[in-house]
Amino acid sequence: MKVEIRQNSPHEADLQRLAELLENEESQYRRLLRLAWRQNSYMKRQDVDRLETNAREWNRYLPLANQARSAREKFLAYMGGNLGLGAGQPEIQDLLVGTRSPIARRIAQLLVVMKGTALRLARQNELNRALAEFCLDLVREESEIFKRCVLDDPSGCYGEDALRADRGPGGVLVKQA
């Protein structure tokens, strides 16, 4: 394995700033992950009020996570330009090649943590998407059952007092979350 040692290494202040940006970005993703876990719980409990509150929190914190990612990307491009790595955004590992700073080791560790958090967030978002899809399918199915009940035999769904009857297909749940 050949290790390239550049004459022009990143400045300690730049490495420190990069570490701070990574910490902030990971913190933002961790917050979104907690919101995703709560969203899953609220969907399972069908807690609409908390789901609405959670959605407002997503709207509040998602832009902060996007800003943190964008700030890191811009700073990486700036560092890459200073080190002569060409146009565009370099990989963090490219910036750390040949750097023996303790901050560089900390950056490598932060990168692993951030990638892990981002992966867990993506996985939880996919689980939530699947659960939401299931809930929508369940609502569609229940509304179809109710619609058939009302159109085909209205007396089977409602009693003479115009209240819903305790029996009949209008109250049947076919699936459970």
Side-chain angles (χ1 to χ4, degrees):
M1 179 165 83
K2 182 180 176 183
V3 176
E4 173 189 333
I5 301 194
R6 289 189 303 263
Q7 291 178 336
N8 190 12
S9 293
H11 294 93
E12 288 291 313
D14 286 348
L15 291 173
Q16 182 61 40
R17 178 69 181 138
L18 180 57
E20 291 167 2
L21 290 169
L22 285 170
E23 284 174 339
N24 181 42
E25 188 175 0
E26 195 277 332
S27 173
Q28 298 300 328
Y29 291 160
R30 218 173 334 116
R31 181 183 298 156
L32 292 178
L33 179 59
R34 284 191 302 269
L35 289 173
W37 286 333
R38 288 179 192 153
Q39 181 183 30
N40 185 275
S41 173
Y42 300 152
M43 281 193 290
K44 287 178 182 175
R45 293 184 303 187
Q46 299 176 3
D47 190 336
V48 176
D49 292 334
R50 287 194 175 142
L51 272 170
E52 287 177 7
T53 300
N54 200 63
R56 283 191 298 274
E57 294 292 303
W58 267 100
N59 287 334
R60 179 178 171 198
Y61 293 119
L62 184 59
L64 296 176
N66 288 335
Q67 288 171 1
R69 179 189 43 77
S70 179
R72 177 195 37 92
E73 289 172 348
K74 286 177 184 174
F75 194 72
L76 283 174
Y78 161 79
M79 286 181 72
N82 283 350
L83 297 173
L85 296 178
Q89 177 189 323
E91 295 289 323
I92 291 177
Q93 296 86 341
D94 296 339
L95 297 173
L96 302 179
V97 170
T99 304
R100 302 190 194 289
S101 168
I103 299 173
R105 287 189 290 279
R106 185 168 148 238
I107 289 171
Q109 293 168 345
L110 287 168
L111 188 58
V112 168
V113 171
M114 187 183 75
K115 284 182 178 180
T117 302
L119 184 64
R120 289 194 324 269
L121 176 59
R123 193 176 90 222
Q124 188 62 51
N125 280 336
E126 178 56 28
L127 290 171
N128 289 355
R129 186 206 57 75
L131 180 58
E133 189 175 295
F134 171 81
C135 290
L136 288 172
D137 287 344
L138 182 61
V139 167
R140 280 187 213 102
E141 189 173 309
E142 286 297 308
S143 65
E144 280 300 314
I145 291 170
F146 188 74
K147 182 175 139 186
R148 279 193 306 259
C149 173
V150 170
L151 293 177
D152 294 345
D153 183 15
S155 64
C157 292
Y158 294 96
E160 293 176 9
D161 55 2
L163 296 176
R164 197 176 79 184
D166 291 336
R167 59 175 166 63
V172 175
L173 276 179
V174 179
K175 298 179 187 176
Q176 288 185 342

